[in-house]
Amino acid sequence: MDTITCDATSTCTVVMPLCDDMDTCTDDLCGPTGMCGPHVPIDRDMDTFPPIAAMCGTDCNDFVATIHPGAPESCNGIDDDCDVIVDEMCM
Ligand SMILES: [Ca+2]
Ligand SMILES: [Ca+2]
Ligand SMILES: [Ca+2]
């Protein structure tokens, strides 16, 4: 929910609720009442592994649920298990 504030020069600006928890590893959501939260860990592909980007976790591809540490290595030219080695011991 937006809030309207007026500064000293009487110009009105729309101010979004400040809900940033200063944690780049969480999505800062706003509840239905305009209150902040919840702050949910980022996991775009919902494989329970947070992205390695911004050092949030160990998921080297947070957009593909089959790619994460411990995933089976497939012979597909992609590092499926996030050990930086492509197609090692692949099946
Ligand atoms: Ca993930
Ligand atoms: Ca690998
Ligand atoms: Ca592979």
Side-chain angles (χ1 to χ4, degrees):
M1 184 181 299
D2 297 341
T3 54
I4 306 296
T5 61
C6 295
D7 63 20
T9 59
S10 297
T11 57
C12 293
T13 53
V14 177
V15 179
M16 293 292 289
L18 191 59
C19 288
D20 191 350
D21 62 356
M22 305 301 286
D23 185 346
T24 57
C25 296
T26 57
D27 276 332
D28 305 308
L29 306 179
C30 287
T33 61
M35 300 293 289
C36 291
H39 304 284
V40 295
I42 293 173
D43 185 15
R44 302 289 180 224
D45 55 12
M46 306 293 283
D47 62 3
T48 74
F49 291 85
I52 202 167
M55 300 199 297
C56 297
T58 53
D59 192 347
C60 59
N61 188 329
D62 201 35
F63 295 95
V64 180
T66 55
I67 299 176
H68 55 78
E73 186 72 51
S74 304
C75 298
N76 55 5
I78 296 170
D79 177 24
D80 301 274
D81 59 1
C82 295
D83 65 356
V84 190
I85 307 168
V86 175
D87 288 356
E88 82 286 4
M89 307 277 289
C90 64
M91 305 283 285

